[in-house]
Amino acid sequence: MKNQITSHILMVRPANFGFNPETAENNFYQQKDDRSTDEVNAVAGQEFDAFVSLLQEKGVDVLAVEDTALPKKTDAVFPNNWFSTHHDGKLVLYPMFSPNRRLERRKDIIEILIKKGFKISEIIDLTFFEQDNQFLEGTGSLILDRINKIAYACRSQRTHHIPLGYFGKLMGFEIVDFDATQVINGVASPIYHTNVMMHVGSEIAVVCLDSIPLASEKLKVQEYLEKTGKKMIPITSKQKFQFAGNMLEIQNRKGEKFTVMSQSAFQSLNEVQINIIKRYTEILVPKIPTIEKIGGGSVRCMMAEIFLPLV
């Protein structure tokens, strides 16, 4: 049965977390830090463990996989960019912008899923697009409405039109793509990942409409969310910079629903926004300040949802 949310989450415990200059080229959320590499990695590990514990205490099935020490992968803690899984047993591998992030793709993680009893009927490998400098970074690039088979995507240096169309045809998703920008040092720049400005849950949609400059595209996104029955919660550009768009709705084994957002995201929301979310789900708030600041990604990026059928 198709569902928008899952209780099975895969997370990768970092072995060499740190600042990645390759991704910083177009991820303006990354900031350098005075702490030593070892200290940063140790703190990231602590934040990761506390996050996993929080989910497990709520009855969510978390498969925490250790990152391999070699080759060094500073962003391994964000596995949602290199693969996605689907109800029909398909697993998709994605073309990634940063050459050093391509090292995160691990066959042994796919084998772990199979050993855990998940059925993979087909692996769809889109990584060949990397040869042509065309990219599509998993559920960073794609916000999937799995029930209605709609993929929302903001075009950027990490989300290209051709692989986007390819994904849509192969997976049977209608593509709703648009430009989304943010002002950095007085200059409008593309938002690097759609999941920074947008989240679609089972009943709600959090979206920074202010970041979509073209009125027709803004209207298109609104219309699709409305016609699929989503309760829309607009967020401001300022809230987006606090990762308020980077949420994920999950459930536990009992089917209780949770919206996961970081402490910085939660603190940026106003009372009305929080109360609307609470009407539909409980809110979980892990604290990941080091991972957010240095990695430039938040809680959604740390959770790779597993939708594969169980054997």
Side-chain angles (χ1 to χ4, degrees), residues 128 147 209 211 262 281:
F128 65 89
I147 303 296
L209 291 169
S211 67
S262 71
T281 71

Side-chain angles (χ1 to χ4, degrees), residues 69-119:
L70 291 171
K72 283 192 174 184
K73 303 174 289 298
T74 53
D75 291 309
V77 75
F78 304 131
N80 78 312
N81 297 139
W82 67 264
F83 81 102
S84 69
T85 63
H86 302 267
H87 298 95
D88 54 6
K90 287 179 181 152
L91 183 146
V92 184
L93 297 173
Y94 292 96
M96 294 170 77
F97 165 78
S98 168
N100 67 23
R101 288 209 64 193
R102 297 168 197 171
L103 302 167
E104 294 168 31
R105 295 191 290 251
R106 287 168 52 190
K107 281 182 185 161
D108 64 318
I109 284 182
I110 297 170
E111 285 159 9
I112 288 166
L113 288 171
I114 294 166
K115 279 181 192 154
K116 287 283 178 186
F118 291 103
K119 185 185 175 186

Side-chain angles (χ1 to χ4, degrees), residues 16-157:
N16 290 289
F17 178 78
F19 186 84
N20 184 348
E22 278 187 16
T23 53
E25 212 177 288
N26 52 38
N27 177 350
F28 303 106
Y29 294 76
Q30 289 174 239
Q31 298 168 51
K32 280 187 172 166
D33 193 294
D34 294 334
R35 291 173 289 180
S36 70
T37 310
D38 288 347
E39 190 184 347
V40 163
N41 187 54
V43 173
Q46 290 162 7
E47 291 178 0
F48 176 90
D49 292 341
F51 185 1
V52 170
S53 296
L54 176 66
L55 296 179
Q56 289 174 334
E57 281 161 19
K58 291 292 183 179
V60 178
D61 174 33
V62 183
L63 176 55
V65 178
E66 291 288 334
D67 181 23
T68 50
L70 291 171
K72 283 192 174 184
K73 303 174 289 298
T74 53
D75 291 309
V77 75
F78 304 131
N80 78 312
N81 297 139
W82 67 264
F83 81 102
S84 69
T85 63
H86 302 267
H87 298 95
D88 54 6
K90 287 179 181 152
L91 183 146
V92 184
L93 297 173
Y94 292 96
M96 294 170 77
F97 165 78
S98 168
N100 67 23
R101 288 209 64 193
R102 297 168 197 171
L103 302 167
E104 294 168 31
R105 295 191 290 251
R106 287 168 52 190
K107 281 182 185 161
D108 64 318
I109 284 182
I110 297 170
E111 285 159 9
I112 288 166
L113 288 171
I114 294 166
K115 279 181 192 154
K116 287 283 178 186
F118 291 103
K119 185 185 175 186
I120 297 174
S121 57
E122 186 182 355
I123 293 177
I124 293 175
D125 189 347
L126 303 182
T127 61
F128 65 89
F129 278 109
E130 288 166 356
Q131 297 159 24
D132 298 316
N133 288 319
Q134 295 272 312
F135 311 115
L136 186 68
E137 296 198 329
T139 52
S141 295
L142 299 159
I143 304 299
L144 301 177
D145 178 342
R146 292 170 183 267
I147 303 296
N148 298 296
K149 301 285 273 188
I150 297 164
Y152 298 91
C154 66
R155 299 178 284 264
S156 73
Q157 287 159 294

Side-chain angles (χ1 to χ4, degrees), residues 146-212:
R146 292 170 183 267
I147 303 296
N148 298 296
K149 301 285 273 188
I150 297 164
Y152 298 91
C154 66
R155 299 178 284 264
S156 73
Q157 287 159 294
R158 305 203 195 178
T159 306
H160 286 109
H161 179 70
I162 294 171
L164 195 51
Y166 209 82
F167 171 87
K169 283 196 182 77
L170 284 174
M171 299 299 292
F173 275 77
E174 184 180 357
I175 303 295
V176 177
D177 58 338
F178 50 92
D179 286 325
T181 59
Q182 56 198 359
V183 177
I184 309 286
N185 300 325
V187 180
S189 311
I191 291 176
Y192 77 105
H193 273 162
T194 319
N195 74 6
V196 170
M197 52 77 65
M198 188 174 187
H199 153 65
V200 173
S202 49
E203 294 171 283
I204 65 169
V206 175
V207 59
C208 181
L209 291 169
D210 293 353
S211 67
I212 305 174

